[in-house]
């Protein structure tokens, strides 16, 4: 195993408004490179309907430009299987290196 990581996560749920705020802070150490980086994620998720969700997040580490991402989620099986799609880009004085993701969460 080349890398080791340690993360602390916290979430806040507003039941009446149907939104979640997530914050993750951590560190990742690459043994071969001898490099340690602080890592972070801040995310906001909203569920306007029972199976449908929207999210925005920013994430990165102490050595690279942050990545901004926004997307949609649909639960095929609530709390078990969901599909998601997002668009993202790195922030380098403007959005650069855009990409699209498609995912399945089990």
């Amino acid at each position: 195993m080349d890398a080791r990581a340690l993360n602390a996560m916290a979430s806040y749920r507003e039941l009446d408004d149907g939104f979640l705020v997530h914050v993750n802070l951590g560190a990742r150490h690459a043994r071969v490179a001898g490099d340690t980086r602080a890592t972070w994620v801040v995310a906001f998720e909203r569920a306007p309907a029972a199976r449908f969700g929207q999210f925005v997040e920013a994430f990165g580490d102490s050595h690279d430009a942050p990545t901004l991402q926004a997307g949609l989620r649909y639960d095929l099986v609530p709390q078990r299987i969901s599909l998601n799609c997002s668009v993202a880009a790195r922030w380098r004085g403007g959005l650069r290196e855009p990409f699209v993701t498609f995912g399945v969460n089990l």
Side-chain angles (χ1 to χ4, degrees):
M1 177 185 296
D2 175 45
R4 293 185 182 182
L6 176 65
N7 289 301
M9 299 167 242
S11 295
Y12 171 76
R13 176 185 297 270
E14 180 62 48
L15 295 176
D16 294 339
D17 293 331
F19 73 84
L20 287 155
V21 176
H22 306 283
V23 177
N24 298 4
L25 300 173
R28 183 179 65 236
H29 177 73
R31 291 188 311 173
V32 173
D35 182 36
T36 300
R37 297 175 181 221
T39 60
W40 60 273
V41 178
V42 176
F44 176 82
E45 185 176 351
R46 182 175 170 264
R51 291 184 162 200
F52 178 72
Q54 306 161 323
F55 61 90
V56 294
E57 66 182 356
F59 58 92
D61 65 41
S62 57
H63 290 70
D64 291 324
T67 298
L68 306 177
Q69 180 169 296
L72 303 172
R73 183 196 79 253
Y74 180 76
D75 291 340
L76 294 174
V77 178
Q79 305 297 315
R80 297 219 179 239
I81 302 172
S82 64
L83 303 176
N84 62 66
C85 175
S86 67
V87 293
R90 287 191 176 220
W91 181 261
R92 296 183 187 271
L95 295 175
R96 307 276 191 265
E97 304 170 28
F99 58 94
V100 175
T101 68
F102 297 95
V104 176
N105 295 331
L106 304 174

